[in-house]
Amino acid sequence: MEKNFEVTKNEFQRQYETKIDGELLAVEFSEHDRKIFLTKLTIPEQFIDSETQNQFITKILDSFKDTRFKVMPTSPEIAKFFRKNRLKYKDLLPAGISI
């Protein structure tokens, strides 16, 4: 079942975040030379490997579709998501990078 939630960019804590059922889901990031490094996924145990986790990552990645930023998924969970959705998000990877 798809949940309706909004992901916000918290510049101070350098993370994308949302709250679902009172729980914080977050992806830490850093920016360098028009690249966004998604470095760490922090997610409550009940959402690990769930459709909610996939929706959360999807919303973050979709926010880069019409930007000049490229995405470097250095978090193992986000790299795994990239591999599962390779065709949909391959254009977000920098040239020469494959996952």
Side-chain angles (χ1 to χ4, degrees):
M1 183 174 105
E2 187 162 316
K3 292 185 183 273
N4 188 20
F5 59 89
E6 186 175 320
V7 175
T8 56
K9 183 177 183 181
N10 182 330
E11 292 280 359
F12 181 72
Q13 292 190 311
R14 306 200 57 76
Q15 65 187 18
Y16 294 94
E17 58 191 27
T18 194
K19 278 202 171 182
I20 299 175
D21 300 333
E23 300 281 353
L24 180 68
L25 289 75
V27 172
E28 293 177 17
F29 72 89
S30 64
E31 296 179 19
H32 184 68
D33 291 335
R34 291 192 204 174
K35 291 185 188 83
I36 300 279
F37 293 81
L38 301 177
T39 57
K40 182 180 178 187
L41 174 68
T42 304
I43 194 162
E45 194 171 317
Q46 70 264 32
F47 297 124
I48 293 174
D49 291 328
S50 71
E51 187 56 35
T52 301
Q53 176 180 315
N54 290 337
Q55 280 180 253
F56 179 53
I57 296 170
T58 296
K59 286 177 184 265
I60 294 168
L61 295 180
D62 285 351
S63 73
F64 297 114
K65 286 222 171 197
D66 295 323
T67 69
R68 301 177 94 188
F69 280 94
K70 294 297 184 181
V71 177
M72 294 290 296
T74 57
S75 158
E77 299 89 352
I78 297 174
K80 178 180 170 184
F81 181 87
F82 255 88
R83 282 191 294 277
K84 285 184 179 177
N85 299 279
R86 188 180 317 260
L87 294 177
K88 185 174 181 183
Y89 294 111
K90 69 179 180 185
D91 292 343
L92 290 180
L93 293 171
I97 300 295
S98 64
I99 301 243

